[in-house]
Amino acid sequence: MEEITKTLLRENGYKATPARLAILKIFFQSQKPQDASSICKKITKTSKQGKVNEVTIYRTLSALEKSGILRKVNLRKNSEYFELNKDHHHHIVCTKCSMVESFKDKNIEEVLKKVISKSSKFKNIKEHSLELFGLCVKCS
Amino acid sequence: MEEITKTLLRENGYKATPARLAILKIFFQSQKPQDASSICKKITKTSKQGKVNEVTIYRTLSALEKSGILRKVNLRKNSEYFELNKDHHHHIVCTKCSMVESFKDKNIEEVLKKVISKSSKFKNIKEHSLELFGLCVKCS
DNA sequence: TTTACTGCAAACCATTTGCAAGCAT
DNA sequence: ATGCTTGCAAATGGTTTGCAGTAAA
């Protein structure tokens, strides 16, 4: 784990500092979208070497997003959530308890290709976001 | 136009004030997602009777969203965009010039039904958002 | 050693809230 | 007349920035 994150950072031209390693570690461990605040709390709780200032977390998230290591996720919360930018997928979000389930679907990508081919104003689509909102079984 | 918006407001239990009429008018005229700031500027420019305070716009947008007259749209900007909550559709957004194109697609709804039927954690999906991001033909 | 990185304080900016005055019904 | 609406000012809260000290390479 330590090696993976360290290598990932250096490959992208970053210094492998304790703060960055701790932040990346959370993404590799949790598999759930995280915002600056949740990361800050998790590090304070679990990390041995101490705290990481929330400002540092914002700067790290922003940098890692630009490098393509993380991507933003829109969960209709009032803060920005991020997740590892691996294997494209989508989310189902419970509007009551905020539980998030991920899913993949090849059909969606195909349908979107057709949509793009029909558009006269756009030929050059780089990404898309798809989120479903509702109540999870527990909250229903 | 004046009559439509007036009736819509009263049907939903709101007083038909000049501010609200002006705000709704913009949505009926433009067909494009709007945020508080853009509405405020448009009213200042075009309306005869004067300005509307931005706070009033925020309150109106929030109320109209709760009533289901408007819905939020995620355009990856740093402010909230709204549009009339009619005939469900999706957006293609130019990440350079912010141009927005709308589209509808029945296949997407069908694919999503299948996705939901596969989920064990969610049975109760109320809405979804789908946005494509890329460069429009002009910006490519 | 060198330059990137971090923490602190303060700035920023979209949005929300309290309250008194104003207006639609 | 009544109570919903508005505007102003101030508060809020997430995020960003300036700067000086610190640490990774």
mmCIF file of all heavy atoms in Angstrom, chain A residues 4-16 20 24 28 60 63-70 84-86, chain C residues 4-5, chain D residues 25:
data_model
loop_
_atom_site.group_PDB
_atom_site.id
_atom_site.type_symbol
_atom_site.label_atom_id
_atom_site.label_comp_id
_atom_site.label_asym_id
_atom_site.label_seq_id
_atom_site.Cartn_x
_atom_site.Cartn_y
_atom_site.Cartn_z
ATOM 1 N N ILE A 4 2.665 1.421 -3.255
ATOM 2 C CA ILE A 4 1.801 1.756 -4.386
ATOM 3 C C ILE A 4 1.561 3.257 -4.451
ATOM 4 O O ILE A 4 1.730 3.896 -5.492
ATOM 5 C CB ILE A 4 0.438 1.030 -4.260
ATOM 6 C CG1 ILE A 4 0.642 -0.479 -4.344
ATOM 7 C CG2 ILE A 4 -0.517 1.504 -5.346
ATOM 8 C CD1 ILE A 4 -0.617 -1.270 -4.056
ATOM 9 N N THR A 5 1.174 3.823 -3.331
ATOM 10 C CA THR A 5 0.861 5.251 -3.310
ATOM 11 C C THR A 5 2.113 6.083 -3.550
ATOM 12 O O THR A 5 2.076 7.088 -4.258
ATOM 13 C CB THR A 5 0.228 5.637 -1.962
ATOM 14 O OG1 THR A 5 1.028 5.122 -0.898
ATOM 15 C CG2 THR A 5 -1.173 5.059 -1.846
ATOM 16 N N LYS A 6 3.212 5.648 -2.968
ATOM 17 C CA LYS A 6 4.477 6.377 -3.140
ATOM 18 C C LYS A 6 4.871 6.413 -4.611
ATOM 19 O O LYS A 6 5.239 7.462 -5.156
ATOM 20 C CB LYS A 6 5.569 5.666 -2.324
ATOM 21 C CG LYS A 6 6.640 6.593 -1.773
ATOM 22 C CD LYS A 6 7.555 5.846 -0.827
ATOM 23 C CE LYS A 6 7.488 6.440 0.574
ATOM 24 N NZ LYS A 6 8.333 5.713 1.537
ATOM 25 N N THR A 7 4.789 5.277 -5.241
ATOM 26 C CA THR A 7 5.133 5.190 -6.658
ATOM 27 C C THR A 7 4.197 6.031 -7.515
ATOM 28 O O THR A 7 4.638 6.770 -8.398
ATOM 29 C CB THR A 7 5.050 3.721 -7.130
ATOM 30 O OG1 THR A 7 5.868 2.918 -6.287
ATOM 31 C CG2 THR A 7 5.520 3.600 -8.570
ATOM 32 N N LEU A 8 2.917 5.931 -7.214
ATOM 33 C CA LEU A 8 1.920 6.682 -7.976
ATOM 34 C C LEU A 8 2.215 8.175 -7.918
ATOM 35 O O LEU A 8 2.171 8.884 -8.934
ATOM 36 C CB LEU A 8 0.527 6.389 -7.409
ATOM 37 C CG LEU A 8 -0.654 7.027 -8.122
ATOM 38 C CD1 LEU A 8 -0.696 6.631 -9.581
ATOM 39 C CD2 LEU A 8 -1.965 6.639 -7.434
ATOM 40 N N LEU A 9 2.556 8.660 -6.742
ATOM 41 C CA LEU A 9 2.856 10.079 -6.587
ATOM 42 C C LEU A 9 4.100 10.469 -7.384
ATOM 43 O O LEU A 9 4.086 11.443 -8.141
ATOM 44 C CB LEU A 9 3.059 10.417 -5.107
ATOM 45 C CG LEU A 9 1.778 10.460 -4.266
ATOM 46 C CD1 LEU A 9 2.102 10.536 -2.776
ATOM 47 C CD2 LEU A 9 0.920 11.649 -4.687
ATOM 48 N N ARG A 10 5.142 9.697 -7.239
ATOM 49 C CA ARG A 10 6.403 10.043 -7.913
ATOM 50 C C ARG A 10 6.282 9.948 -9.426
ATOM 51 O O ARG A 10 6.846 10.765 -10.152
ATOM 52 C CB ARG A 10 7.520 9.132 -7.397
ATOM 53 C CG ARG A 10 7.880 9.487 -5.963
ATOM 54 C CD ARG A 10 9.051 8.676 -5.444
ATOM 55 N NE ARG A 10 9.366 9.108 -4.080
ATOM 56 C CZ ARG A 10 9.812 8.301 -3.132
ATOM 57 N NH1 ARG A 10 10.032 7.020 -3.391
ATOM 58 N NH2 ARG A 10 10.085 8.769 -1.930
ATOM 59 N N GLU A 11 5.533 8.971 -9.876
ATOM 60 C CA GLU A 11 5.312 8.848 -11.323
ATOM 61 C C GLU A 11 4.657 10.098 -11.895
ATOM 62 O O GLU A 11 4.806 10.419 -13.068
ATOM 63 C CB GLU A 11 4.400 7.648 -11.618
ATOM 64 C CG GLU A 11 5.106 6.314 -11.653
ATOM 65 C CD GLU A 11 4.099 5.184 -11.826
ATOM 66 O OE1 GLU A 11 2.886 5.457 -11.781
ATOM 67 O OE2 GLU A 11 4.537 4.040 -12.009
ATOM 68 N N ASN A 12 3.888 10.754 -11.053
ATOM 69 C CA ASN A 12 3.182 11.945 -11.521
ATOM 70 C C ASN A 12 3.885 13.245 -11.143
ATOM 71 O O ASN A 12 3.294 14.321 -11.214
ATOM 72 C CB ASN A 12 1.746 11.939 -10.985
ATOM 73 C CG ASN A 12 0.875 10.951 -11.749
ATOM 74 O OD1 ASN A 12 0.315 11.283 -12.781
ATOM 75 N ND2 ASN A 12 0.809 9.713 -11.269
ATOM 76 N N GLY A 13 5.125 13.111 -10.701
ATOM 77 C CA GLY A 13 5.917 14.304 -10.442
ATOM 78 C C GLY A 13 5.693 14.953 -9.086
ATOM 79 O O GLY A 13 6.052 16.109 -8.879
ATOM 80 N N TYR A 14 5.093 14.209 -8.167
ATOM 81 C CA TYR A 14 4.881 14.762 -6.829
ATOM 82 C C TYR A 14 5.868 14.168 -5.842
ATOM 83 O O TYR A 14 6.305 13.030 -5.991
ATOM 84 C CB TYR A 14 3.461 14.451 -6.335
ATOM 85 C CG TYR A 14 2.371 15.018 -7.199
ATOM 86 C CD1 TYR A 14 1.537 14.184 -7.920
ATOM 87 C CD2 TYR A 14 2.172 16.390 -7.265
ATOM 88 C CE1 TYR A 14 0.525 14.702 -8.708
ATOM 89 C CE2 TYR A 14 1.166 16.917 -8.059
ATOM 90 C CZ TYR A 14 0.344 16.075 -8.777
ATOM 91 O OH TYR A 14 -0.645 16.593 -9.547
ATOM 92 N N LYS A 15 6.157 14.949 -4.826
ATOM 93 C CA LYS A 15 6.949 14.400 -3.731
ATOM 94 C C LYS A 15 6.048 13.555 -2.855
ATOM 95 O O LYS A 15 4.893 13.920 -2.604
ATOM 96 C CB LYS A 15 7.565 15.532 -2.909
ATOM 97 C CG LYS A 15 8.626 16.294 -3.664
ATOM 98 C CD LYS A 15 9.244 17.373 -2.803
ATOM 99 C CE LYS A 15 10.316 18.111 -3.591
ATOM 100 N NZ LYS A 15 10.857 19.264 -2.839
ATOM 101 N N ALA A 16 6.578 12.444 -2.420
ATOM 102 C CA ALA A 16 5.764 11.531 -1.612
ATOM 103 C C ALA A 16 5.819 11.947 -0.153
ATOM 104 O O ALA A 16 6.600 11.433 0.638
ATOM 105 C CB ALA A 16 6.262 10.106 -1.789
ATOM 106 N N ARG A 20 0.247 13.470 1.648
ATOM 107 C CA ARG A 20 -0.282 12.911 0.403
ATOM 108 C C ARG A 20 -0.463 11.416 0.497
ATOM 109 O O ARG A 20 -1.446 10.861 -0.014
ATOM 110 C CB ARG A 20 0.656 13.268 -0.748
ATOM 111 C CG ARG A 20 0.514 14.712 -1.156
ATOM 112 C CD ARG A 20 1.571 15.097 -2.154
ATOM 113 N NE ARG A 20 1.426 16.481 -2.554
ATOM 114 C CZ ARG A 20 2.382 17.189 -3.119
ATOM 115 N NH1 ARG A 20 3.563 16.625 -3.355
ATOM 116 N NH2 ARG A 20 2.181 18.438 -3.449
ATOM 117 N N LEU A 24 -4.054 9.620 -0.130
ATOM 118 C CA LEU A 24 -4.235 8.579 -1.153
ATOM 119 C C LEU A 24 -4.629 7.247 -0.533
ATOM 120 O O LEU A 24 -5.459 6.517 -1.074
ATOM 121 C CB LEU A 24 -2.940 8.410 -1.950
ATOM 122 C CG LEU A 24 -2.855 9.152 -3.278
ATOM 123 C CD1 LEU A 24 -1.562 8.799 -3.985
ATOM 124 C CD2 LEU A 24 -4.049 8.820 -4.173
ATOM 125 N N PHE A 28 -7.620 4.483 -1.530
ATOM 126 C CA PHE A 28 -7.388 3.082 -1.878
ATOM 127 C C PHE A 28 -8.106 2.143 -0.919
ATOM 128 O O PHE A 28 -8.545 1.063 -1.288
ATOM 129 C CB PHE A 28 -5.884 2.772 -1.890
ATOM 130 C CG PHE A 28 -5.228 3.147 -3.183
ATOM 131 C CD1 PHE A 28 -4.541 4.350 -3.316
ATOM 132 C CD2 PHE A 28 -5.307 2.296 -4.285
ATOM 133 C CE1 PHE A 28 -3.945 4.691 -4.520
ATOM 134 C CE2 PHE A 28 -4.698 2.637 -5.487
ATOM 135 C CZ PHE A 28 -4.029 3.843 -5.604
ATOM 136 N N THR A 60 -4.124 19.061 -2.300
ATOM 137 C CA THR A 60 -3.794 17.730 -2.804
ATOM 138 C C THR A 60 -4.891 17.198 -3.719
ATOM 139 O O THR A 60 -4.623 16.683 -4.808
ATOM 140 C CB THR A 60 -3.576 16.764 -1.625
ATOM 141 O OG1 THR A 60 -2.527 17.274 -0.800
ATOM 142 C CG2 THR A 60 -3.212 15.381 -2.126
ATOM 143 N N ALA A 63 -4.722 18.907 -7.045
ATOM 144 C CA ALA A 63 -3.577 18.465 -7.844
ATOM 145 C C ALA A 63 -3.807 17.069 -8.408
ATOM 146 O O ALA A 63 -3.575 16.826 -9.596
ATOM 147 C CB ALA A 63 -2.311 18.486 -6.989
ATOM 148 N N LEU A 64 -4.285 16.177 -7.573
ATOM 149 C CA LEU A 64 -4.485 14.798 -8.017
ATOM 150 C C LEU A 64 -5.594 14.701 -9.060
ATOM 151 O O LEU A 64 -5.587 13.820 -9.913
ATOM 152 C CB LEU A 64 -4.810 13.892 -6.817
ATOM 153 C CG LEU A 64 -3.706 13.760 -5.767
ATOM 154 C CD1 LEU A 64 -4.121 12.810 -4.662
ATOM 155 C CD2 LEU A 64 -2.394 13.296 -6.398
ATOM 156 N N GLU A 65 -6.535 15.620 -8.989
ATOM 157 C CA GLU A 65 -7.578 15.619 -10.014
ATOM 158 C C GLU A 65 -6.990 16.066 -11.355
ATOM 159 O O GLU A 65 -7.276 15.477 -12.394
ATOM 160 C CB GLU A 65 -8.724 16.544 -9.622
ATOM 161 C CG GLU A 65 -9.943 16.340 -10.513
ATOM 162 C CD GLU A 65 -10.779 17.573 -10.666
ATOM 163 O OE1 GLU A 65 -10.442 18.609 -10.036
ATOM 164 O OE2 GLU A 65 -11.766 17.537 -11.420
ATOM 165 N N LYS A 66 -6.175 17.116 -11.303
ATOM 166 C CA LYS A 66 -5.562 17.593 -12.547
ATOM 167 C C LYS A 66 -4.690 16.532 -13.181
ATOM 168 O O LYS A 66 -4.584 16.446 -14.405
ATOM 169 C CB LYS A 66 -4.754 18.856 -12.264
ATOM 170 C CG LYS A 66 -5.591 20.118 -12.378
ATOM 171 C CD LYS A 66 -4.791 21.361 -12.057
ATOM 172 C CE LYS A 66 -5.736 22.523 -11.729
ATOM 173 N NZ LYS A 66 -5.336 23.246 -10.509
ATOM 174 N N SER A 67 -4.032 15.720 -12.364
ATOM 175 C CA SER A 67 -3.184 14.656 -12.894
ATOM 176 C C SER A 67 -3.980 13.466 -13.385
ATOM 177 O O SER A 67 -3.415 12.519 -13.924
ATOM 178 C CB SER A 67 -2.216 14.176 -11.815
ATOM 179 O OG SER A 67 -1.480 15.262 -11.316
ATOM 180 N N GLY A 68 -5.286 13.471 -13.103
ATOM 181 C CA GLY A 68 -6.100 12.359 -13.559
ATOM 182 C C GLY A 68 -6.113 11.184 -12.609
ATOM 183 O O GLY A 68 -6.664 10.130 -12.917
ATOM 184 N N ILE A 69 -5.528 11.359 -11.428
ATOM 185 C CA ILE A 69 -5.537 10.274 -10.447
ATOM 186 C C ILE A 69 -6.890 10.208 -9.754
ATOM 187 O O ILE A 69 -7.420 9.153 -9.470
ATOM 188 C CB ILE A 69 -4.414 10.482 -9.405
ATOM 189 C CG1 ILE A 69 -3.057 10.439 -10.119
ATOM 190 C CG2 ILE A 69 -4.495 9.452 -8.296
ATOM 191 C CD1 ILE A 69 -1.887 10.833 -9.251
ATOM 192 N N LEU A 70 -7.463 11.368 -9.499
ATOM 193 C CA LEU A 70 -8.806 11.432 -8.918
ATOM 194 C C LEU A 70 -9.764 12.090 -9.898
ATOM 195 O O LEU A 70 -9.352 12.758 -10.829
ATOM 196 C CB LEU A 70 -8.786 12.262 -7.621
ATOM 197 C CG LEU A 70 -7.927 11.772 -6.463
ATOM 198 C CD1 LEU A 70 -8.037 12.739 -5.292
ATOM 199 C CD2 LEU A 70 -8.326 10.369 -6.036
ATOM 200 N N LEU A 84 -11.093 7.646 -6.816
ATOM 201 C CA LEU A 84 -10.026 7.225 -7.710
ATOM 202 C C LEU A 84 -10.569 7.161 -9.131
ATOM 203 O O LEU A 84 -11.663 6.653 -9.368
ATOM 204 C CB LEU A 84 -9.490 5.852 -7.293
ATOM 205 C CG LEU A 84 -8.587 5.838 -6.061
ATOM 206 C CD1 LEU A 84 -8.230 4.409 -5.693
ATOM 207 C CD2 LEU A 84 -7.333 6.670 -6.288
ATOM 208 N N ASN A 85 -9.788 7.654 -10.066
ATOM 209 C CA ASN A 85 -10.236 7.731 -11.455
ATOM 210 C C ASN A 85 -9.948 6.433 -12.203
ATOM 211 O O ASN A 85 -9.332 6.444 -13.258
ATOM 212 C CB ASN A 85 -9.549 8.915 -12.128
ATOM 213 C CG ASN A 85 -10.155 9.244 -13.467
ATOM 214 O OD1 ASN A 85 -11.261 8.816 -13.780
ATOM 215 N ND2 ASN A 85 -9.441 10.002 -14.259
ATOM 216 N N LYS A 86 -10.387 5.332 -11.628
ATOM 217 C CA LYS A 86 -10.194 4.035 -12.277
ATOM 218 C C LYS A 86 -11.528 3.507 -12.762
ATOM 219 O O LYS A 86 -12.581 3.934 -12.316
ATOM 220 C CB LYS A 86 -9.572 3.038 -11.295
ATOM 221 C CG LYS A 86 -8.117 3.365 -10.968
ATOM 222 C CD LYS A 86 -7.518 2.251 -10.129
ATOM 223 C CE LYS A 86 -6.030 2.533 -9.903
ATOM 224 N NZ LYS A 86 -5.376 1.461 -9.145
ATOM 225 P P DA C 4 9.660 24.023 -7.760
ATOM 226 O OP1 DA C 4 9.372 23.864 -9.203
ATOM 227 O OP2 DA C 4 9.501 25.332 -7.100
ATOM 228 O "O5'" DA C 4 8.790 22.941 -6.964
ATOM 229 C "C5'" DA C 4 9.171 21.566 -7.018
ATOM 230 C "C4'" DA C 4 8.648 20.838 -5.794
ATOM 231 O "O4'" DA C 4 9.261 21.409 -4.608
ATOM 232 C "C3'" DA C 4 7.145 20.969 -5.594
ATOM 233 O "O3'" DA C 4 6.682 19.736 -5.063
ATOM 234 C "C2'" DA C 4 7.017 22.103 -4.589
ATOM 235 C "C1'" DA C 4 8.250 21.875 -3.723
ATOM 236 N N9 DA C 4 8.767 23.079 -3.074
ATOM 237 C C8 DA C 4 9.078 24.271 -3.650
ATOM 238 N N7 DA C 4 9.543 25.170 -2.809
ATOM 239 C C5 DA C 4 9.532 24.517 -1.593
ATOM 240 C C6 DA C 4 9.899 24.917 -0.290
ATOM 241 N N6 DA C 4 10.381 26.131 -0.004
ATOM 242 N N1 DA C 4 9.756 24.020 0.709
ATOM 243 C C2 DA C 4 9.272 22.802 0.406
ATOM 244 N N3 DA C 4 8.900 22.307 -0.769
ATOM 245 C C4 DA C 4 9.055 23.228 -1.741
ATOM 246 P P DC C 5 5.150 19.528 -4.821
ATOM 247 O OP1 DC C 5 4.902 18.083 -5.045
ATOM 248 O OP2 DC C 5 4.376 20.553 -5.548
ATOM 249 O "O5'" DC C 5 5.015 19.788 -3.259
ATOM 250 C "C5'" DC C 5 5.778 19.000 -2.362
ATOM 251 C "C4'" DC C 5 5.423 19.350 -0.925
ATOM 252 O "O4'" DC C 5 6.027 20.614 -0.577
ATOM 253 C "C3'" DC C 5 3.927 19.489 -0.644
ATOM 254 O "O3'" DC C 5 3.616 18.629 0.448
ATOM 255 C "C2'" DC C 5 3.735 20.969 -0.294
ATOM 256 C "C1'" DC C 5 5.122 21.363 0.196
ATOM 257 N N1 DC C 5 5.505 22.788 -0.026
ATOM 258 C C2 DC C 5 5.945 23.546 1.062
ATOM 259 O O2 DC C 5 5.973 23.033 2.189
ATOM 260 N N3 DC C 5 6.328 24.848 0.863
ATOM 261 C C4 DC C 5 6.283 25.366 -0.362
ATOM 262 N N4 DC C 5 6.677 26.631 -0.523
ATOM 263 C C5 DC C 5 5.837 24.591 -1.484
ATOM 264 C C6 DC C 5 5.454 23.328 -1.274
ATOM 265 P P DA D 25 10.571 12.069 -1.865
ATOM 266 O OP1 DA D 25 9.516 11.693 -2.852
ATOM 267 O OP2 DA D 25 11.037 11.096 -0.864
ATOM 268 O "O5'" DA D 25 11.827 12.618 -2.673
ATOM 269 C "C5'" DA D 25 11.603 13.444 -3.812
ATOM 270 C "C4'" DA D 25 12.955 13.933 -4.322
ATOM 271 O "O4'" DA D 25 13.426 14.971 -3.463
ATOM 272 C "C3'" DA D 25 14.049 12.878 -4.300
ATOM 273 O "O3'" DA D 25 14.141 12.215 -5.558
ATOM 274 C "C2'" DA D 25 15.323 13.678 -4.084
ATOM 275 C "C1'" DA D 25 14.840 14.961 -3.473
ATOM 276 N N9 DA D 25 15.266 15.148 -2.095
ATOM 277 C C8 DA D 25 15.087 14.304 -1.042
ATOM 278 N N7 DA D 25 15.584 14.747 0.097
ATOM 279 C C5 DA D 25 16.147 15.954 -0.261
ATOM 280 C C6 DA D 25 16.819 16.928 0.489
ATOM 281 N N6 DA D 25 17.053 16.819 1.795
ATOM 282 N N1 DA D 25 17.250 18.040 -0.180
ATOM 283 C C2 DA D 25 17.006 18.146 -1.478
ATOM 284 N N3 DA D 25 16.372 17.301 -2.286
ATOM 285 C C4 DA D 25 15.970 16.217 -1.593
#
